[in-house]
Amino acid sequence: MVVGDLATDIVIRTEGPPAVGSDRPAQIRYSGGGAAANTAAWLARAGVPVTLAARVGDDAPGRDRIAELVAAGVEPAVAIDTELPTASIAVLVDGDGERTMFPDRAAADRLDAADVIAAVERPDVRHLHLSGYALLDAGSRKAGLAALETAGRRGITVSVDAASAAPLEAVGAERFLGWIAGIDLLLANAAEAAVLTGLADPSVSAARLATVVRTAVVKDGAGGAWWRGENGAAWVAAEPARRVVDTTGAGDAFAAGLLAAWLSGAGPAGALAAGARAGTLAVGLPGARP
């Protein structure tokens, strides 16, 4: 069960920086997005039976996003909001493939705790993956905390993606770590881990985070990824990408690749390698989904 956001990505690709106050030619495309939904789609591609609990508006984008999930092999447990539109994210992608996001969470920020509890309580659910955005945004926080509490009560394994450095800094490391203390697996990139620990070295920050959660995985782009936790330690190099088209969703793909391997019994090195392969595949594709 993946819990979090389902959104429309409005991807704006430019060959240079914005010409402030003037024009800059760009290629613009619309596609399915949202960190939780992206991870669910990549999990489905890896053959993992997966359901997404999210909330969209009662509008054409919401219906399109649900249809895309079904086509990708994801079972939707998606509530419909009759007052707010489906979330949308403007994604500015530069010539090097790096992206900057401007989210309008809209209906996603009204994720309902009762809906999430019902989803996680399903008897066929064996693992919860929670997008950190559900905790970082005040409107959906109650639902995110309810997902964690329900999973803990059921005794199923839990992973959380730290989501994004700037919102983490706004919420505060102590609060966020308090919410997720004791979970089975935390995924963070180097910037997010630095916010949570105050440590710049991703290997050291992973070890520090592993004193709060059972296992911490910290990604450092081309620098590889670290696993630190109760069941061992590992590092894997980044998979070289032939061409970087768009980094949007690369972390979501990494999470899915790692989870698919780990939930199938892979050890730390094997799980990291599977995540790295998925992340490399993602950066070679436009958009955030396979």
Side-chain angles (χ1 to χ4, degrees):
M1 181 64 64
V2 179
V3 173
D5 43 334
L6 174 57
T8 299
D9 278 354
I10 306 163
V11 181
I12 307 165
R13 185 176 182 86
T14 70
E15 295 305 321
V20 178
S22 187
D23 294 353
R24 172 73 70 188
Q27 297 87 47
I28 301 174
R29 63 188 296 270
Y30 294 78
S31 61
N38 298 339
T39 300
W42 284 100
L43 282 167
R45 181 187 183 278
V48 178
V50 58
T51 300
L52 174 71
R55 191 177 189 92
V56 296
D58 185 13
D59 51 24
R63 290 186 286 275
D64 289 345
R65 301 295 79 82
I66 293 172
E68 289 166 351
L69 288 178
V70 173
V74 177
E75 180 183 349
V78 179
I80 306 298
D81 193 298
T82 59
E83 297 178 354
L84 292 177
T86 297
S88 56
I89 307 167
V91 185
L92 184 63
V93 182
D94 65 21
D96 296 322
E98 187 56 77
R99 89 289 186 273
T100 303
M101 298 190 292
F102 302 87
D104 177 358
R105 287 182 55 77
D109 212 25
R110 294 220 306 210
L111 189 63
D112 186 77
D115 293 337
V116 168
I117 291 169
V120 180
E121 282 184 336
R122 285 175 29 169
D124 59 337
V125 173
R126 294 289 179 266
H127 179 82
L128 166 68
H129 178 70
L130 179 66
S131 168
Y133 287 112
L135 296 172
L136 296 175
D137 289 281
S140 57
R141 185 170 301 145
K142 186 178 292 186
L145 293 173
L148 293 174
E149 190 278 331
T150 304
R153 175 165 43 80
R154 288 199 57 215
I156 63 174
T157 51
V158 176
S159 56
V160 172
D161 193 308
S164 184
L168 275 174
E169 191 166 17
V171 163
E174 186 175 355
R175 290 180 74 197
F176 186 82
L177 292 175
W179 293 331
I180 66 167
I183 65 165
D184 298 277
L185 178 63
L186 171 66
L187 296 113
N189 63 28
E192 294 154 5
V195 170
L196 291 173
T197 64
L199 301 169
D201 186 318
S203 174
V204 179
S205 63
R208 177 69 60 83
L209 289 170
T211 66
V212 179
V213 300
R214 292 179 180 175
T215 297
V217 170
V218 176
K219 306 159 289 178
D220 189 28
W226 284 261
W227 177 295
R228 298 288 185 269
E230 294 178 351
N231 57 349
W235 172 83
V236 298
E239 290 272 338
R242 292 182 180 179
R243 186 166 70 108
V244 177
V245 174
D246 184 353
T247 59
T248 309
D252 306 326
F254 181 99
L258 182 144
L259 286 172
W262 179 60
L263 293 171
S264 298
L272 286 177
R277 286 192 296 272
T280 297
L281 176 60
V283 301
L285 302 172
R289 306 268 183 87

